Amino acid sequence: MCGILAVLGCSDDSQAKRVRVLELSRRLKHRGPDWSGLYHHGDFYLAHQRLAIVDPASGDQPLFSEDKKIVVTINGEIYNHEELRKRMPNHKFRTGSDCEVIAHLYEEYGEEFVDMLDGMFSFVLLDTRSNTFIAARDAIGITSLYIGWGLDGSVWISSELKGLNDDCEHFETFPPGHIYSSRESVLRRWYNPPWFSETVPSIPYDPLVLRHALENAVIKRLMTDVPFGVLLSGGLDSSLVASITARHLSGTKAAKQWGSQLHSFCVGLENSPDLKAAREVADFLGTVHHEFHFTVQDGIDAIEDVIYHIETYDVTTVRASTPMFLMSRKIKSLGVKMVISGEGSDEVFGGYLYFHKAPNKEEFHRETCRKIKALHQYDCLRANKATSAWGVEGRVPFLDKEFINVAMSIDPEWKMIKPEEGRIEKWILRRAFDDEERPYLPKHILYRQKEQFSDGVGYSWIDGLKAHAAQHVTDKMMLNAAHIFPHNTPTSKEAYYYRMIFERFFPQNSARLSVPGGASVACSTAKAIEWDASWSDNLDPSGRAALGVHLSAYDPQLPPVATGTLATEIKDTVSRMIPVPGFAIQT
């Protein structure tokens, strides 16, 4: 992932302003440590911090049209760039960068070209002929992006909050699937798929169509000129992505450059079943597999850095981001710059355990739609910022536009969880890859119960976080929480602890408003809590809060929040297999 910062129409073209833009851009250097670029035209500044994945030698940014009148700074990958280049035979390209097509597409098609892009992206395009600009974000919000406004009439665009929060009067999340045009000074949605209206689809389930759609989504993400690998947990989603990648890697350009043996990596508490599960899948697939161990104290020591980088105080996101943050640092130390992972599957297929209680297919489908629309605030934010903190790019095939169209057009009756019929969560995905002749995965992996990442790295991790928060947040502090934090008031000591850290880094009201809130159980939306009356008394985002569903659910007779002294390392004594995302490289 790269880092972009644009200051547009600031009425200040002084050297001091240029220095300030460079200073703010450096706050994003962790996203792109390979090169820096700044373009200045009048009162427009486009800055870029590059993570070189495709065409490392000549793809530095900003990028230009042939006559250099169109300027682009972008974070992302355009997987269909070769096909788009062929549509413009009269255009001359300076680099092999996949992102260069954007300037040429704008020349050819105007502002309406964004829907032609197949990939993940956030970009700003400046047309110096008219001094107008557009900014856009990918369909689901895989890449992070914010928009702000200065008192001088300027518009700011940044990959992260920290690039603009100190200089804007107001700022907010740039919504996914939208474009901002300076001609109208408004945001409009360019992404309008059939599922967005939440109308219940009726297309019958075809396992081979679903299988081929995911395989295509994975294959197109093998576009790289640098070493890469997969995050492998031993859970269904990352294991399927790893299996497809291992199956199709041979013969690709990436294999010719870096070898045809896939690298995989996982993270977990030492001796946890997580590591065992990932190792088993790696052995089955024949990947080069390394493990990264961390202690509860390691994670706690990193919490402040994690919140600074992920820019949220959402409890689930902080819990899950910390192991991913630690893992990404290890990955980068091994020389790897890109990983493929399994985010998005649970939203598309209703994989969270609370979906067991969906009352009917209509509610099931609407909840999946709500979850996908909110991904940019949760799992996409985590996957993007936790990896980008160390200059690693994460790619997510389950959030491929075409794959989502296929998966969300299936009659949701097929997605419904029906244990009496042997249909557990994500059954249609499991069934699509249940190949007896040429297995993608061992059966017990293919049909393992869903485990959330923050649970999967070991239940001791969450229990340890709660115990640590209880040491730093008193009952008296909690009594005043609504007065100290009237917006998204923390309802637990853990949430209060994260909020204090967040407010130190990002004290502006716009910053606290950028974080979502609301009641949740096992990662549900607030609406889904209505499905089970008992959940309203057990509001915790952990999968273990799905009482009556999770095999190791919280005991409803016991308080879920741990208290007391936190040991330096809390051992995970759970005896069942718990999946963890992961990834490794050969030393």
Side-chain angles (χ1 to χ4, degrees):
M1 289 295 173
C2 302
I4 67 172
L5 173 65
V7 184
L8 307 155
C10 62
S11 303
D12 183 357
D13 61 356
S14 67
Q15 178 63 21
K17 189 67 175 183
R18 182 184 181 93
V19 170
R20 178 58 176 166
V21 173
L22 284 169
E23 178 186 352
L24 294 173
S25 179
R26 281 194 290 272
R27 295 184 182 181
L28 309 177
K29 188 175 288 186
H30 53 275
R31 298 181 63 90
D34 297 335
W35 195 253
S36 301
L38 175 63
Y39 176 81
H40 175 207
H41 171 77
D43 53 6
F44 297 92
Y45 297 84
L46 272 65
H48 189 264
Q49 301 290 343
R50 188 184 185 202
L51 180 67
I53 303 291
V54 176
D55 187 24
S58 66
D60 295 337
Q61 294 193 35
L63 296 162
F64 301 89
S65 59
E66 291 174 56
D67 59 8
K68 295 198 172 184
K69 297 294 178 66
I70 310 300
V71 192
V72 177
T73 182
I74 176 172
N75 165 39
E77 305 292 344
I78 309 302
Y79 302 123
N80 64 335
H81 74 103
E82 292 183 351
E83 173 195 331
L84 293 172
R85 286 173 183 249
K86 292 175 182 177
R87 294 193 195 182
M88 300 178 286
N90 297 325
H91 289 249
K92 294 181 180 179
F93 295 86
R94 286 189 172 85
T95 75
S97 169
D98 53 296
C99 298
E100 189 182 350
V101 294
I102 290 176
H104 298 269
L105 287 169
Y106 174 80
E107 287 184 311
E108 198 73 21
Y109 301 99
E111 295 182 359
E112 306 308 314
F113 73 89
V114 181
D115 198 27
M116 300 169 65
L117 302 176
D118 182 4
M120 55 178 183
F121 54 82
S122 297
F123 70 81
V124 177
L125 180 150
L126 174 65
D127 187 338
T128 63
R129 300 169 302 188
S130 56
N131 283 341
T132 57
F133 65 88
I134 60 173
R137 189 178 183 188
D138 64 67
I140 306 299
I142 301 168
T143 59
S144 58
L145 196 65
Y146 297 86
I147 182 170
W149 293 268
L151 287 174
D152 60 356
S154 56
V155 177
W156 294 58
I157 307 290
S158 176
S159 293
E160 296 185 1
L161 275 180
K162 58 183 69 68
L164 51 70
N165 67 306
D166 287 333
D167 290 63
C168 289
E169 184 68 13
H170 175 74
F171 51 88
E172 58 193 48
T173 301
F174 194 110
H178 279 68
I179 182 172
Y180 179 92
S181 172
S182 64
R183 289 183 171 90
E184 296 89 25
S185 297
V186 293
L187 285 156
R188 70 174 187 272
R189 184 153 54 90
W190 63 264
Y191 180 56
N192 296 285
W195 64 267
F196 210 87
S197 67
E198 302 185 9
T199 302
V200 179
S202 58
I203 295 178
Y205 167 54
D206 185 329
L208 288 181
V209 170
L210 188 62
R211 180 196 293 185
H212 294 154
L214 183 57
E215 287 185 318
N216 290 337
V218 172
I219 291 168
K220 71 175 67 169
R221 282 160 178 78
L222 299 180
M223 179 185 79
T224 178
D225 293 324
V226 299
F228 79 102
V230 293
L231 304 184
L232 176 61
S233 73
L236 175 67
D237 306 327
S238 65
S239 296
L240 277 179
V241 168
S243 178
I244 295 169
T245 303
R247 188 168 292 207
H248 293 281
L249 180 58
S250 180
T252 64
K253 179 183 175 183
K256 293 176 183 176
Q257 286 183 289
W258 309 108
S260 58
Q261 190 172 21
L262 182 64
H263 300 274
S264 59
F265 195 95
C266 79
V267 64
L269 300 178
E270 191 170 4
N271 298 322
S272 72
D274 313 28
L275 303 177
K276 177 183 176 183
R279 197 180 307 126
E280 181 181 3
V281 176
D283 289 343
F284 179 84
L285 299 177
T287 67
V288 179
H289 187 67
H290 285 193
E291 298 175 354
F292 173 49
H293 302 164
F294 78 103
T295 67
V296 173
Q297 191 62 54
D298 290 333
I300 288 171
D301 290 343
I303 288 291
E304 292 206 10
D305 284 342
V306 169
I307 291 175
Y308 173 75
H309 279 286
I310 65 174
E311 303 175 324
T312 184
Y313 49 82
D314 173 70
V315 170
T316 304
T317 307
V318 175
R319 288 174 176 178
S321 294
T322 305
M324 197 169 201
F325 175 86
L326 296 171
M327 177 174 59
S328 297
R329 186 175 192 178
K330 185 68 173 181
I331 290 169
K332 189 57 180 287
S333 74
L334 296 171
V336 173
K337 296 169 72 173
M338 186 272 281
V339 293
I340 307 175
S341 67
E343 277 77 17
S345 173
D346 292 311
E347 287 74 15
V348 173
F349 293 104
Y352 292 107
L353 296 184
Y354 72 89
F355 276 93
H356 280 250
K357 299 297 183 74
N360 52 58
K361 73 175 186 179
E362 290 80 12
E363 273 301 303
F364 190 108
H365 179 72
R366 293 186 190 110
E367 177 70 0
T368 60
C369 293
R370 291 190 291 264
K371 290 293 290 180
I372 296 172
K373 291 175 184 178
L375 263 170
H376 69 286
Q377 298 175 303
Y378 298 102
D379 283 21
C380 284
L381 180 149
R382 166 182 57 80
N384 180 278
K385 292 182 180 178
T387 54
S388 294
W390 300 106
V392 176
E393 175 175 288
R395 298 181 180 178
V396 283
F398 279 107
L399 297 180
D400 179 84
K401 276 200 305 182
E402 288 304 313
F403 177 75
I404 291 177
N405 286 342
V406 170
M408 293 301 289
S409 68
I410 298 170
D411 186 335
E413 182 66 30
W414 289 97
K415 296 182 182 179
M416 290 285 286
I417 300 164
K418 300 181 178 181
E420 69 279 3
E421 298 178 17
R423 283 165 51 175
I424 62 174
E425 65 275 355
K426 295 185 285 194
W427 176 83
I428 64 170
L429 178 63
R430 302 174 196 270
R431 181 68 186 86
F433 287 89
D434 193 348
D435 190 326
E436 296 287 349
E437 294 184 2
R438 197 180 172 205
Y440 283 80
L441 293 169
K443 284 275 190 182
H444 64 284
I445 299 292
L446 194 61
Y447 289 96
R448 170 181 285 137
Q449 185 181 64
K450 160 68 184 172
E451 197 79 56
Q452 288 165 212
F453 185 28
S454 53
D455 286 326
V457 293
Y459 296 150
S460 305
W461 168 233
I462 291 178
D463 296 339
L465 286 173
K466 290 179 177 181
H468 179 73
Q471 292 179 336
H472 291 79
V473 179
T474 66
D475 293 340
K476 187 176 181 180
M477 293 165 71
M478 289 300 297
L479 288 175
N480 294 324
H483 301 289
I484 302 298
F485 304 116
H487 177 75
N488 283 348
T489 302
T491 57
S492 69
K493 291 184 177 182
E494 184 185 5
Y496 194 109
Y497 180 67
Y498 300 156
R499 185 66 173 272
M500 289 193 300
I501 298 171
F502 178 88
E503 296 267 349
R504 256 194 294 123
F505 291 130
F506 309 104
Q508 299 86 359
N509 189 52
S510 291
R512 63 181 67 97
L513 293 176
S514 72
V515 179
S520 175
V521 61
C523 283
S524 74
T525 66
K527 179 68 176 174
I529 293 174
E530 300 172 6
W531 295 351
D532 190 307
S534 68
W535 287 349
S536 60
D537 298 322
N538 192 51
L539 298 177
D540 188 286
S542 167
R544 287 184 288 166
L547 303 181
V549 177
H550 197 291
L551 297 178
S552 297
Y554 291 133
D555 185 336
Q557 304 302 315
L558 297 176
V561 180
T563 58
T565 304
L566 176 68
T568 300
E569 180 178 357
I570 301 177
K571 295 293 184 181
D572 189 350
T573 58
V574 181
S575 60
R576 52 186 296 281
M577 280 200 283
I578 317 166
V580 187
F583 166 99
I585 196 73
Q586 193 171 23
T587 56

